[in-house]
RNA sequence: GCCCGGGUGGCGGAAUUGGCAGACGCGGGGGAUUCAAAAUCCCCUUCUCUUCGGGGAGUGCGGGUUCAAGUCCCGCCCCGGGCACCA
């Protein structure tokens, strides 16, 4: 934008916007404008605002990226800021701040690329991001901004870990309890040991190991996701369906390792149930439900010659249709089950060309272990091999063959199934492959020509179940199983316990040491925090599939051993060398926002109660991207529930209302070779796009470096100013929707601010153009209708339509073409204040106010101006609009009818035609059917 | 395959309980102002036909309910996202 010599001196342009924006940002900082008072403690009230109802508004914890922000990042931050500002003006004590999720893989990977130490790199990134966000004019309480990497923060992350380590889940009361309760229950025999042995007969080490196996945070040797390229193991949630790491897309291998686990499965049912009380979108709830994956059914015991095993099924009603069994290739009982020789008349197809069942099984195990998850999915043809043994169907004594196949997963249920091809598509396919018997136990509807029938219908071929529908048949069969002790009602979950250790440097150290017995011991609270040692060589080694993970902390040789007094004098202990995963800090950061300066507790009781235990229970509004639908939101709910059980927080759920903002997308251009070209240099001509005179093709994608379509906030400040950027982002569309960025459209938002400015300020002189006179009635009506709509839109986060209403009001003021009545100016400035706080503050100050508009009450509509005296009524003939009449709004139906008939156009259409039917909706419309 | 979203002008998007489709903005066209331009202000801008009065069609497609359907019902198509051999 070139400087025009004759541009009015006091025009609202980008240079002027930048000046007042920086002025107000400094002012707000000096005045602590956005400090939200606590009921007690260091952040206690000095303003009186603590008397107002509270509101806790949050953005999802960002990680401080090294590459800086683009205009897509702050969309949600602006949304929450506008809402928070609106709520402050309507009388709430609003807590809104922002912290940094600075530990973990992203930060470490970035440090690794730049070669800088993660701490230096992280601190630089945080300060950079703080500056960028400050420039947007976000009204955050800066005293409450925390980073997970702060010592004072991760001290409490470790403290919470100890709470989890020191508790167990008591299924009889369905909540977590202190581990000391468990010790008493075990020693007095109220809780029996699995092997019926006596507690007192166990050695102290055995007793400790037993107790350890109950803890919410526990060590377990379990098959884990080992990612050599990242040098660490990963949680299930961090591995894609293709068996690769979600971050970096590196191959991941399953292998058993001893790792810290979190007993989230104990909470599976509560995590599922409590979704009901949350104000979250159905989409997110569904994703969580699917992830938890609750299935109700029965566990049924099948006997073989030598042994017995259990299967899980959701369809116990189909037991009469079980014609074969399948075990997962890794099933631990295979050793006992596999026969020495093939039974007589074993079909060749079942042997897979092997001379003995053992060789066949071993061969199959080998092949399937080499298959990646991807291979398993792509190769849909069912494979398997007969193990040479038969099982007995408990309900009818039938002997059915046992197979192994990789379509049965060891990780779900019991790793074994009863196959009912008549009612299960997968079993049907396998039965076709191996020529196995198929018995239908549910009558398919007439004309059914499909394979397995999974729908409802009357039971057949099932003796005492015949005629019952699925639900009743299931119940009847479960009764039978329990009566005859052949099985029990059972429920399984897809949710697995949460793998909690990482072999990385940049994370919270565990507050755990190992003693002489190599058993874990909690580091006493007075030794917290366990500080992350400063390591020069912090990068993970690149490793291969078979090597063991090497935690980098093992290289801090003088840190590895610790002198501690854990109750029986100073001794040397070996430290836990793993670190916590990134999710640890984000599981509870919102609680630290509440009381960030407290060095006695992670959050004080009354502060927590004040902010969390309001009308809704939990954070009042939580805005973030949908990508955290399962990971963060599930982990965080789990920690919160454990803290709730232990009495540390007052609500069962952390986030009452969740709102998923959309993403800003941007056009991206590829040349003929498919290479992305710099989007800002592409020119459009007659619908064609060219880059350096070469035609390129356009598509839309996430904004970012790789697609060469980033637009930075800084460019927008230069061209338009922060208020315009805020306004444009809020105007583009509904907050929850993806929308394409268009720099050329931003000017519309700048124009609105210029028009607002021009309606109140003389551009040539800079003087106010406001008069103390009565507002004309018609403008007054529009004013109050606008207040009404804007309030409604703000409450519902519909900022785009709020801006449209404000624009209409402003257009009305422009049209009146006279000096603006002070009343109108006052209202207008308040309406825009949440959206464009800088220019609103500036105008408010120019109007002679010496306190900030941030806490000035938002206008309230006067109901007398919301109803107008006349109303325009559309008149339809046969449902088609033919005319409109303006009538008094309280006109009676019959008068309205007559008025409609008297309308010239209507009269000419109807004249001598018969009216078959008339619909008169008072105040709304008239429709004649002829 | 299953489960969620969504499909409205050239573009982003508006439209309580079914009641004037296209608010508001971008882009485009015209005018005023100006020596001229920029900026600003005003008007027009769904498509289509038109004798300039107006007529017809129109919210992904095909049916239906209704005086009246973007909105409700049935059957499809397309796009985005999630899950995916979970017994």
């Amino acid at each position: 934008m070139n400087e025009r010599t004759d541009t009015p001196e006091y025009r609202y342009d980008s240079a002027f916007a930048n000046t007042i924006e920086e002025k107000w940002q400094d002012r707000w900082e000096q005045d602590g404008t956005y400090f939200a008072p606590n009921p007690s403690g260091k952040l206690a009230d000095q303003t009186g605002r603590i008397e107002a109802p509270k509101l806790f508004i949050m953005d999802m914890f960002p990680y401080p990226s090294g590459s800086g922000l683009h205009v897509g990042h702050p969309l949600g931050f602006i949304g929450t800021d506008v809402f928070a500002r609106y709520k402050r003006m309507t009388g709430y004590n609003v807590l809104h701040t922002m912290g940094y999720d600075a530990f973990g893989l992203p930060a470490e990977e970035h440090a690794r690329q730049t070669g800088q130490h993660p701490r230096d790199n992280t601190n630089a990134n945080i300060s950079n991001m703080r500056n960028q966000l400050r420039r947007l004019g976000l009204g955050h309480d800066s005293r409450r901004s925390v980073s997970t990497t702060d010592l004072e923060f991760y001290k409490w992350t470790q403290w919470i870990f100890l709470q989890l380590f020191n508790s167990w889940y008591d299924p009889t009361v369905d909540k977590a309890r202190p581990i000391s309760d468990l010790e008493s229950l075990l020693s007095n025999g109220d809780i029996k040991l699995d092997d019926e042995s006596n507690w007192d007969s166990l050695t102290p080490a055995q007793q400790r190991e037993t107790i350890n196996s109950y803890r919410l945070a526990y060590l377990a040797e379990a098959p884990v996701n080992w990612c050599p390229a990242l040098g660490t193991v990963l949680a299930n949630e961090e591995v894609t369906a293709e068996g690769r790491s979600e971050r970096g897309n590196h191959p991941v291998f399953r292998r058993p390792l001893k790792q810290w686990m979190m007993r989230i499965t104990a909470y599976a049912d509560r995590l599922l149930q409590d979704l009901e009380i949350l104000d979250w979108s159905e989409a997110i709830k569904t994703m969580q439900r699917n992830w938890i994956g609750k299935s109700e059914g029965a566990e049924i015991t099948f006997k073989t010659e030598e042994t017995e095993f259990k299967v899980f099924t959701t369809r116990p009603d189909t037991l009469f249709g079980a014609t074969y069994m399948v075990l997962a290739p890794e099933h631990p009982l295979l050793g006992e089950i596999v026969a020495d020789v093939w039974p007589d008349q074993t079909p060749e197809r079942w042997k897979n060309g092997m001379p003995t069942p053992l060789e066949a099984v071993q061969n199959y195990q080998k092949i399937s272990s080499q298959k990646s998850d991807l291979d398993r999915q792509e190769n849909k043809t069912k494979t398997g091999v007969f193990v040479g043994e038969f099982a007995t169907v408990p309900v009818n004594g039938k002997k059915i063959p046992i197979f192994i196949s990789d379509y049965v997963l060891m990780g779900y249920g019991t790793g074994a199934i009863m196959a009912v091809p008549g009612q299960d598509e997968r079993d049907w396919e396998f039965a076709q492959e191996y020529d196995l018997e198929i018995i239908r136990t549910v009558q398919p509807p007439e004309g059914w020509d499909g394979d397995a029938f999974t729908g409802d219908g009357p039971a057949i071929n099932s003796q005492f179940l015949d005629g019952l529908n699925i639900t009743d048949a299931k119940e009847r069969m479960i009764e039978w199983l329990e009566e005859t002790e052949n099985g029990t009602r059972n429920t399984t979950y897809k949710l697995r316990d949460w793998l909690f250790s990482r072999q990385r440097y940049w994370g919270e150290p565990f507050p755990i040491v190992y003693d002489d017995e190599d058993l874990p011991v909690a580091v006493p609270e007075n030794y917290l925090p366990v500080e992350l040692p400063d390591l020069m060589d912090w990068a993970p080694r690149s490793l291969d599939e078979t090597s063991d993970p090497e935690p980098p902390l093992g290289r801090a040789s003088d840190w590895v051993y610790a002198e501690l007094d854990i109750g029986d004098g100073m001794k040397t202990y070996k430290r836990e060398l793993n670190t916590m995963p990134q999710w640890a800090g984000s599981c509870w950061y919102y609680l630290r926002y509440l009381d960030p300066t407290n060095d006695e507790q992670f959050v004080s009781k009354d502060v927590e109660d004040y902010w969390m235990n309001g009308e809704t229970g939990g954070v009042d509004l939580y805005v973030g991207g949908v990508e955290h639908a399962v990971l963060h939101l599930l982990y965080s709910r789990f920690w919160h529930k454990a803290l709730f059980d232990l009495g540390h927080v007052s609500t069962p759920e952390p986030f009452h209302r969740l709102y998923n903002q959309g993403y800003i997308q941007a056009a991206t251009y590829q040349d003929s070779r498919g290479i992305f070209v710099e989007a800002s240099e592409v020119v459009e001509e007659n619908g064609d796009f060219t880059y350096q005179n070469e035609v390129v093709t356009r598509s839309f994608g996430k904004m970012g470096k790789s697609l060469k379509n980033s637009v930075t906030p800084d460019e927008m400040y230069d061209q338009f100013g922060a208020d315009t950027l805020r306004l444009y982002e809020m105007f583009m569309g509904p907050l929850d929707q993806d929308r394409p960025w268009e720099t050329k459209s931003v000017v519309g938002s700048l124009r609105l601010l210029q028009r607002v400015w021009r309606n109140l300020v003389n551009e040539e002189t800079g003087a106010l153009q406001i008069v103390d006179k009565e507002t004309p009635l018609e403008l007054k009506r529009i004013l109050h209708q606008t207040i009404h709509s804007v309030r409604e839109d703000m409450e519902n986060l519909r900022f785009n339509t709020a801006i449209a209403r404000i624009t209409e009001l402003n257009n009305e003021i422009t049209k009146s073409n006279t000096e603006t009545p002070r009343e109108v100016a006052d209202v207008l400035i308040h309406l825009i204040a949440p959206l464009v706080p800088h220019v609103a503050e500036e105008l408010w100050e120019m109007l002679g106010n010496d306190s900030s508009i941030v806490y000035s009450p938002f206008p309230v509509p006067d109901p007398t101006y919301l109803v107008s005296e006349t109303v325009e009524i559309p008149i339809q003939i046969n449902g088609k609009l033919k005319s409109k009449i303006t009538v008094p709004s309280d006109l009676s139906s019959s008068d309205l009818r007559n008025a409609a008939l008297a309308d010239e156009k209507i009269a000419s259409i109807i004249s001598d035609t018969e009216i078959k039917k008339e619909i008169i909706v008072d105040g709304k419309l008239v429709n004649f059917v002829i």
Side-chain angles (χ1 to χ4, degrees):
Chain A
M1 305 236 161
N2 297 325
E3 278 301 313
R4 308 273 173 203
T5 46
D6 50 355
T7 298
E9 195 178 343
Y10 295 92
R11 169 156 296 175
Y12 180 89
D13 58 14
S14 62
F16 179 69
N18 279 288
T19 310
I20 62 168
E21 283 163 9
E22 279 166 32
K23 165 185 160 185
W24 285 101
Q25 283 154 16
D26 291 344
R27 184 83 64 86
W28 292 331
E29 187 172 296
Q30 279 159 29
D31 295 352
T33 305
Y34 305 106
F35 290 1
N38 273 354
S40 65
K42 288 180 197 155
L43 307 187
D45 195 22
Q46 281 156 7
T47 59
R49 284 203 290 274
I50 195 74
E51 299 304 324
K54 70 91 187 181
L55 205 68
F56 186 9
I57 299 173
M58 270 198 0
D59 301 278
M60 280 188 190
F61 216 22
Y63 87 86
S65 151
S67 43
L69 297 181
H70 58 65
V71 292
H73 287 120
L75 180 69
F77 304 161
I78 298 170
T80 50
D81 186 54
V82 173
F83 187 66
R85 286 174 182 278
Y86 168 74
K87 282 296 190 179
R88 278 190 199 102
M89 293 174 78
T90 52
Y92 285 84
N93 182 23
V94 176
L95 173 45
H96 191 209
T97 188
M98 167 131 341
Y100 299 91
D101 191 14
F103 267 138
L105 278 180
E108 186 168 341
E109 281 301 294
H110 191 268
R112 204 178 173 187
Q113 282 157 25
T114 59
Q116 250 183 323
H117 192 280
R119 176 170 289 114
D120 301 336
N121 192 267
T122 301
N123 288 342
N125 291 349
I126 290 175
S127 101
N128 184 37
M129 189 159 166
R130 278 210 175 104
N131 286 336
Q132 280 191 301
L133 292 178
R134 181 183 189 273
R135 191 60 193 77
L136 264 174
L138 302 175
H140 292 155
D141 185 341
S142 53
R143 302 168 306 172
R144 298 174 187 266
S145 179
V146 296
S147 164
T148 51
T149 51
D150 295 340
L151 207 55
E152 311 81 71
F153 184 93
Y154 74 72
K155 169 183 176 178
W156 297 109
T157 310
Q158 293 172 337
W159 181 86
I160 294 171
F161 178 87
L162 289 182
Q163 307 310 304
L164 298 166
F165 180 73
N166 285 322
S167 48
W168 61 293
Y169 202 84
D170 184 349
T172 63
V173 293
D174 215 9
K175 59 185 268 192
R177 297 174 62 181
I179 207 82
S180 49
D181 292 2
L182 175 71
E183 288 178 56
S184 352
L185 290 166
L186 283 165
S187 67
N188 68 21
D190 284 343
I191 293 182
K192 302 263 183 294
L193 297 169
D194 286 348
D195 58 359
E196 305 285 318
S197 61
N198 191 322
W199 179 251
D200 296 325
S201 66
L202 299 184
T203 65
Q206 284 172 324
Q207 290 184 345
R208 283 176 60 196
E209 287 192 65
T210 306
I211 288 167
N212 286 349
S213 72
Y214 277 86
R215 296 179 189 271
L216 288 186
Y218 64 100
L219 275 170
E221 176 95 13
V224 298
N225 306 297
W226 164 233
C227 180
L230 292 173
T232 184
V233 300
L234 298 170
N236 290 341
E237 288 84 347
E238 294 168 310
V239 180
T240 63
E242 287 78 35
R244 303 183 80 88
S245 64
E246 196 157 71
R247 201 162 286 284
N249 203 34
H250 305 295
V252 169
F253 303 90
R254 301 280 297 174
R255 57 177 293 191
L257 281 172
K258 197 166 194 177
Q259 298 290 331
W260 282 99
M261 306 289 287
M262 286 279 174
R263 204 176 301 280
I264 190 171
T265 51
Y267 283 86
D269 224 29
R270 283 168 62 189
L271 289 168
L272 189 65
Q273 285 300 319
D274 287 352
L275 286 172
E276 303 301 326
I277 62 171
L278 296 176
D279 185 4
W280 294 16
S281 73
E282 266 318 299
I284 300 281
K285 287 187 183 182
T286 305
M287 284 187 196
Q288 292 225 339
R289 285 190 194 109
N290 289 344
W291 192 264
I292 294 166
K294 181 177 184 172
S295 304
E296 288 172 288
E299 209 164 73
I300 305 176
T301 306
F302 283 74
K303 291 190 168 59
T304 65
E305 287 291 315
E306 307 288 323
T307 180
E308 59 179 43
F309 60 93
K310 291 185 162 93
V311 304
F312 174 73
T313 178
T314 55
R315 293 292 303 275
D317 60 300
T318 63
L319 185 53
F320 285 97
T323 55
Y324 65 102
M325 312 288 299
V326 186
L327 305 186
E330 309 87 9
H331 198 284
L333 233 61
L334 273 173
E336 291 176 54
I337 290 173
V338 178
D340 297 331
V341 293
W342 294 117
D344 292 343
Q345 295 171 359
T346 298
E348 283 307 312
R349 181 87 183 80
W350 294 12
K351 296 180 186 170
N352 211 7
M354 291 292 156
T356 65
L358 185 64
E359 284 167 275
V361 165
Q362 284 173 346
N363 177 259
Y364 188 81
Q365 285 173 328
K366 197 175 156 206
I367 293 167
S368 71
S369 72
Q370 283 165 352
K371 270 194 207 170
S372 70
D373 288 356
L374 190 64
D375 295 334
R376 281 189 176 198
Q377 271 174 50
E378 279 181 348
N379 189 0
K380 283 279 182 188
T381 315
K382 298 274 182 291
T383 60
V385 69
F386 181 43
V387 304
E389 189 54 83
F390 295 84
T392 309
V393 181
V395 79
N396 57 11
K398 192 167 169 173
K399 298 256 193 269
I400 56 176
I402 304 172
F403 286 77
I404 59 170
S405 171
D406 60 10
Y407 85 89
V408 172
L409 310 173
M410 195 57 228
Y412 186 76
T414 61
I417 62 156
M418 64 179 207
V420 187
Q423 270 71 235
D424 184 289
E425 282 158 16
R426 298 153 302 180
D427 296 345
W428 179 284
E429 275 179 54
F430 190 86
Q432 292 289 321
E433 272 316 301
Y434 292 92
D435 209 11
L436 289 151
E437 189 186 9
I438 294 168
I439 303 172
R440 288 195 190 274
T441 62
V442 177
Q443 180 64 56
E446 231 170 283
W448 172 259
D449 61 351
D451 301 336
F453 176 66
T454 56
D456 202 356
I460 52 170
N461 302 320
S462 297
Q463 300 177 19
F464 58 88
L465 302 181
D466 283 353
L468 299 177
N469 65 29
I470 292 180
T471 315
D472 295 342
K474 275 184 189 174
E475 281 308 306
R476 182 70 197 88
M477 181 55 86
I478 291 172
E479 278 168 34
W480 183 89
L481 289 166
E482 293 193 325
E483 274 163 29
T484 58
E485 298 190 348
N486 281 303
T488 52
R489 183 186 301 278
N490 201 8
T491 300
T492 65
Y493 298 89
K494 270 162 75 176
L495 183 69
R496 306 281 79 157
D497 274 345
W498 173 20
L499 175 76
F500 197 70
S501 31
R502 298 291 183 277
Q503 292 72 45
R504 299 288 289 221
Y505 169 69
W506 197 231
E508 300 87 346
F510 281 76
I512 290 289
V513 292
Y514 295 87
D515 62 9
D516 305 339
E517 317 246 19
D518 205 26
L519 288 174
V521 182
V523 172
E525 276 184 36
N526 57 302
Y527 285 99
L528 298 184
V530 176
E531 202 172 334
L532 192 63
D534 251 322
L535 256 190
M536 292 310 291
D537 181 18
W538 46 268
R541 305 256 187 271
S542 263
L543 300 163
D544 64 28
E545 184 185 343
T546 53
S547 54
D548 281 332
E550 291 175 24
L553 288 184
R555 292 172 219 152
S557 43
D558 46 356
W559 182 86
V560 170
Y561 293 93
E563 292 277 314
L564 301 175
D565 180 356
I566 61 166
D568 48 356
M570 275 296 189
K571 284 188 187 167
T572 303
Y573 298 88
K574 186 169 194 285
R575 289 195 190 274
E576 169 64 54
L577 300 179
N578 287 301
T579 51
M580 298 188 200
Q582 179 178 18
W583 314 105
S586 60
C587 272
W588 76 281
Y589 71 105
Y590 55 96
L591 294 168
R592 193 61 184 172
Y593 281 167
L594 305 179
D595 205 4
T597 56
N598 192 334
D599 45 23
E600 307 279 310
Q601 289 169 286
F602 77 119
V603 57
S604 92
K605 194 74 198 121
D606 65 322
V607 169
E608 186 276 333
D609 195 64
Y610 174 79
W611 288 111
M612 292 294 283
N613 204 6
E615 248 170 76
T616 60
V619 174
D620 298 283
L621 177 66
Y622 194 22
V623 174
V626 70
E627 75 271 18
H628 292 112
V630 278
L631 300 162
H632 158 59
L633 288 170
L634 203 59
Y635 295 152
S636 193
R637 293 179 63 212
F638 158 53
W639 274 36
H640 195 90
K641 284 183 181 306
L643 291 170
F644 175 69
D645 288 352
L646 299 170
H648 297 301
V649 296
S650 53
T651 65
E653 284 286 336
F655 313 119
H656 177 76
R657 181 178 181 199
L658 175 72
Y659 188 93
N660 296 109
Q661 100 258 359
Y663 286 94
I664 289 187
Q665 307 197 304
T668 178
Y669 303 88
Q670 285 163 285
D671 65 17
S672 53
R673 296 165 301 164
I675 308 288
F676 287 102
V677 302
E678 188 55 49
S680 56
E681 288 165 36
V682 171
V683 225
E684 183 181 356
E685 281 164 23
N686 314 320
D688 284 335
F689 301 97
T690 55
Y691 171 75
Q692 294 173 354
N693 297 322
E694 238 188 276
V695 174
V696 290
T697 56
R698 182 175 70 163
S699 52
F700 285 86
K702 260 190 165 182
M703 201 174 263
K705 262 187 184 166
S706 54
L707 301 182
K708 292 194 185 166
N709 60 355
S710 283
V711 177
T712 67
D714 306 74
E715 296 169 57
M716 292 300 106
Y717 303 150
D718 283 352
Q719 285 181 55
F720 306 103
D723 275 336
T724 297
L725 174 62
R726 292 170 59 107
L727 192 62
Y728 175 66
E729 294 216 4
M730 292 301 99
F731 182 63
M732 288 165 82
L735 197 57
D736 56 358
Q737 204 169 298
D738 293 349
R739 72 288 298 273
W741 178 267
E742 246 189 2
T743 299
K744 68 167 189 178
S745 294
V746 183
V747 68
S749 297
L750 177 66
R751 281 183 201 146
L752 172 60
L753 294 182
Q754 286 178 332
R755 284 172 197 160
V756 167
W757 182 262
R758 201 178 298 122
N759 280 332
L760 307 179
V761 179
N762 185 315
E763 286 193 319
E764 307 293 338
T765 64
L768 280 176
Q769 313 193 92
I770 288 171
V771 288
D772 289 301
K773 67 168 189 197
E774 192 57 25
T775 311
L777 183 64
E778 205 34 50
L779 183 57
K780 202 152 178 149
R781 285 219 174 92
I782 294 168
L783 194 67
H784 284 268
Q785 274 157 11
T786 306
I787 297 170
H788 177 74
S789 313
V790 169
R791 288 187 80 106
E792 218 170 65
D793 289 342
M794 288 277 182
E795 290 290 346
N796 294 299
L797 305 175
R798 292 194 303 244
F799 305 125
N800 55 329
T801 49
I803 294 166
R805 298 292 85 80
I806 292 169
T807 309
E808 282 173 323
L809 170 64
N810 193 57
N811 288 346
E812 283 303 319
I813 300 170
T814 308
K815 270 183 210 160
S816 72
N817 204 22
T818 56
E819 290 183 309
T820 306
R822 181 172 292 270
E823 178 197 13
V824 175
D826 263 13
V827 169
L828 182 62
I829 294 169
H830 280 84
L831 294 182
I832 63 171
L835 295 154
V836 285
H838 311 91
V839 66
E841 286 276 34
E842 185 68 18
L843 288 166
W844 188 236
E845 187 184 53
M846 287 169 73
L847 249 59
N849 300 285
D850 46 10
S851 59
S852 166
I853 199 171
V854 168
Y855 293 98
S856 179
F858 204 80
V860 179
D862 180 342
T864 55
Y865 296 107
L866 292 180
V867 285
S868 51
E869 282 158 13
T870 60
V871 61
E872 197 183 44
I873 303 286
I875 304 167
Q876 303 177 332
I877 304 288
N878 292 341
K880 290 194 173 188
L881 179 70
K882 290 295 169 184
S883 185
K884 290 178 192 180
I885 53 172
T886 302
V887 297
S889 46
D890 56 354
L891 202 66
S892 71
S893 292
S894 57
D895 287 350
L896 179 57
R897 172 182 180 276
N898 293 335
L901 285 171
D903 181 75
E904 253 178 61
K905 268 159 104 183
I906 299 302
S908 74
I909 297 170
I910 292 179
S911 59
D912 47 18
T913 329
E914 185 200 353
I915 299 175
K916 289 190 187 138
K917 190 167 180 178
E918 34 191 76
I919 292 98
I920 320 282
V921 186
D922 285 346
K924 276 272 166 90
L925 120 168
V926 176
N927 186 12
F928 295 115
V929 183
I930 58 173

